[in-house]
Structure formats: C-alpha cells, structure tokens
Amino acid sequence: MSLALIRKALEKRLLSMPSGLTTVPENTSYTPVADTPYQVAYLFPLNPENPTFGDKYYREEGIFRVMLMYPNKKGTGSIQIKAEAIKDYFYRSLTLTEGSVQVIIEKTPSVSSGKVIDDRYSVNVDIKYFCSILKP
C-alpha cells in the first residue's frame, strides 16, 4: 500500500505545477498531439532499506522519473526550461504527505541529456525520494 501512496503523492505534486503539460501516468494509453509536448511519469522503486533489526521500521526508496517528450528538431530551449522548472519544483527536502506516508525528496533532482525517441526529443528529470515506514 505504501508504494501506491508514494506514487499518488508524487503525481499530485507534478499535476499541481503551474503551466503544466499533459501528464501521462505510467502504463496508460495516450495518443500524442502533433507539435505538442507532454510528459510521462514513472515510479522506479528501489530495494527497501532496513537500517535496524528487530522492529517494523523500513525505508522505501526510489526514483520518480518525469520523461519530457517534446517535438523533435525544435531546439532544446523549451525542454530545458521545463526540466529546470520540474527540478526546482521538486527541491531537496520537500516533504509530501499522502494518507499515512510522508515522501521526502532526498536529493536535488537530476536532468539527463536529451535523446530522440520516434518523432520526439526526450529529457528525463529523475527525482530521488524516500519514505519511512513503520508497520503497526
């Protein structure tokens, strides 16, 4: 259940960005509109951390990736501006609460170099998070 709440918290934050793009949740269908940018959100959970023995505490960790998909052959200016805006919006130490979990952005997000995917130019923004879990 904690992964679902983590995803929800991160996606809600992304959707609340001013002047946001169309956001495509992971594993949903979407038909891109010609010459219109969009973004795809992915959750990459990592192995949970168990920093203590004998109790019910553990840490969920992972990467929330925002894959920006812009029209190809239009330069890098717009996509870089958007990537930087996402990087700033998910600043290090930001705490998001969803239900019983608090998701904390652990590090300043990273922006990848661009690559061409089909008719799109793509840049990823990777947001490292963690969430402390204490089972009853």
Side-chain angles (χ1 to χ4, degrees):
M1 181 58 141
S2 58
L3 288 176
L5 292 173
I6 291 167
R7 179 189 303 276
K8 188 173 182 181
L10 292 163
E11 287 179 349
K12 275 173 69 173
R13 176 74 177 176
L14 181 62
L15 290 170
S16 74
M17 271 191 81
S19 70
L21 302 173
T22 296
T23 301
V24 181
E26 186 173 351
N27 197 32
T28 60
S29 97
Y30 176 72
T31 302
V33 177
D35 292 323
T36 303
Y38 65 96
Q39 59 194 7
V40 185
Y42 294 95
L43 189 71
F44 296 105
L46 302 174
N47 290 332
E49 290 291 322
N50 298 107
T52 63
F53 286 100
D55 63 16
K56 297 176 183 181
Y57 169 79
Y58 68 96
R59 281 175 46 138
E60 288 286 359
E61 297 184 357
I63 296 169
F64 181 61
R65 174 171 289 167
V66 180
M67 181 184 229
L68 297 173
M69 303 294 287
Y70 275 60
N72 193 21
K73 299 182 182 176
K74 303 278 184 175
T76 59
S78 296
I79 197 168
Q80 285 303 139
I81 290 168
K82 185 63 175 180
E84 289 290 326
I86 293 169
K87 180 179 174 179
D88 293 343
Y89 201 63
F90 284 88
Y91 57 88
R92 186 173 74 84
S93 81
L94 171 67
T95 301
L96 306 171
T97 302
E98 188 63 44
S100 61
V101 302
Q102 285 192 321
V103 181
I104 300 169
I105 305 306
E106 185 175 358
K107 297 181 177 186
T108 300
S110 63
V111 177
S112 74
S113 58
K115 64 182 173 185
V116 176
I117 300 174
D118 298 325
D119 67 336
R120 299 288 167 156
Y121 184 73
S122 177
V123 168
N124 296 331
V125 181
D126 286 347
I127 302 157
K128 178 83 168 70
Y129 69 85
F130 74 89
C131 179
S132 295
I133 306 292
L134 183 59
K135 291 287 187 179

